[in-house]
């Protein structure tokens, strides 16, 4: 299987790691057949495929879905990182064990729950415990939720990101950070930076030039696919 950690290292500006976000086994197989070396599941897309609103998927169903995605692409040697939201309230050792049982090699872990930001040091301590439980087996992408909670000042995001890297995170994800803040974030944090691609925003390559090490899409690819399916469905009525 692809060494997921090494894919983040030594990347040139403008050449970020692009991680498509499959929502089920079939979409994962499409991305694997297209030649992508790694994928990153989105909680929103997986939830929709399972019939839930984002954030409402029971842990058991989310882990089962991740496992199906991993199995769908294992023959291609494709690595899978999984969005495990805020950790479902599970103790760090149980969370790490259940994720490793799916075959995933990495994860996103959010720093807010029920729309409220966690205390940054409390969350850093949680990440440290999760790192200790997982060892080197999981690549931890620590999501920083300040921007989606309405905090536009980059200082709190930087403070959280630096704490999380010190606690053992391999990468930080200041989700929806304004593109013009990415250079300052990348410089201040000094670790791989995940940026969210947004339609009508900078291209993945442009985000890489601004400082992003890797690019993910959240539920965007699922939404686009559903819109095309909706158009096809409506066309069938005529």
């Amino acid at each position: 299987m692809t060494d997921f950690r090494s894919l983040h290292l030594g990347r040139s500006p403008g050449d970020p790691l692009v991680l498509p976000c499959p929502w089920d086994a079939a979409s994962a197989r499409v991305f694997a057949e297209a030649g992508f070396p790694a994928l990153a599941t989105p909680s929103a897309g997986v939830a929709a495929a399972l019939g839930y609103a984002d954030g409402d998927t029971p842990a058991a169903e989310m882990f089962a879905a991740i496992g199906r995605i991993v199995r769908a692409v294992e023959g291609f040697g494709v690595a899978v990182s999984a969005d495990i939201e805020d950790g479902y309230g599970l103790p760090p050792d149980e969370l790490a064990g259940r994720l490793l049982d799916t075959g995933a090699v990495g994860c996103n872990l959010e720093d807010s729950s029920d729309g409220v930001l966690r205390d940054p040091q409390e969350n850093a301590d949680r990440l440290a415990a999760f790192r200790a439980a997982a060892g080197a087996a999981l690549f931890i992408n620590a999501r920083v939720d300040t921007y989606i909670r309405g905090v536009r000042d980059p200082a709190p995001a930087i403070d959280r990101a630096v704490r999380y890297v010190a606690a053992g995170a391999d990468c930080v994800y200041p989700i929806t950070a304004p593109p013009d803040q990415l250079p300052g974030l990348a410089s201040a944090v000094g670790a791989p930076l995940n940026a969210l691609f947004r339609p009508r925003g900078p291209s993945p390559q442009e985000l890489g030039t601004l400082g992003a090490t890797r690019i993910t899409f959240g539920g965007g690819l699922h939404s686009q696919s559903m819109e095309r399916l909706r158009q096809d469905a409506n066309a069938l009525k005529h």
Side-chain angles (χ1 to χ4, degrees), residues 2-176:
T2 299
D3 183 347
F4 188 61
R5 186 170 276 102
S6 70
L7 291 174
H8 296 77
L9 304 177
R11 304 202 73 90
S12 301
D15 181 34
L17 174 62
V18 176
L19 296 174
C21 297
W23 52 93
D24 60 11
S27 58
R29 182 66 68 93
V30 168
F31 293 129
E33 290 174 344
F36 288 96
L39 308 172
T41 70
S43 65
V46 173
L50 295 173
Y52 294 100
D54 190 19
D56 289 347
T57 308
E61 293 198 45
M62 182 62 78
F63 288 123
I66 294 166
R68 289 191 291 271
I69 288 170
V70 171
R71 288 194 299 274
V73 300
E74 61 187 358
F76 296 86
V78 172
V80 176
S81 181
D83 185 344
I84 52 173
E85 304 181 271
D86 66 354
Y88 309 107
L90 298 173
D93 56 346
E94 182 179 352
L95 183 63
R98 292 180 71 173
L99 182 58
L100 287 167
D101 285 345
T102 70
V105 298
C107 66
N108 282 7
L109 194 58
E110 301 169 7
D111 69 347
S112 60
S113 296
D114 297 323
V116 178
L117 286 164
R118 291 175 177 264
D119 175 82
Q121 190 54 50
E122 174 189 295
N123 196 60
D125 292 342
R126 180 179 72 134
L127 282 169
F130 183 63
R131 166 57 72 206
L138 289 173
F139 184 98
I140 301 174
N141 187 35
R143 205 176 88 175
V144 177
D145 287 355
T146 52
Y147 292 102
I148 62 171
R149 303 305 172 206
V151 181
R152 308 301 292 175
D153 182 355
I158 291 170
D159 175 66
R160 286 172 177 268
V162 169
R163 290 174 189 259
Y164 300 164
V165 172
D170 299 287
C171 184
V172 292
Y173 181 17
I175 186 170
T176 71

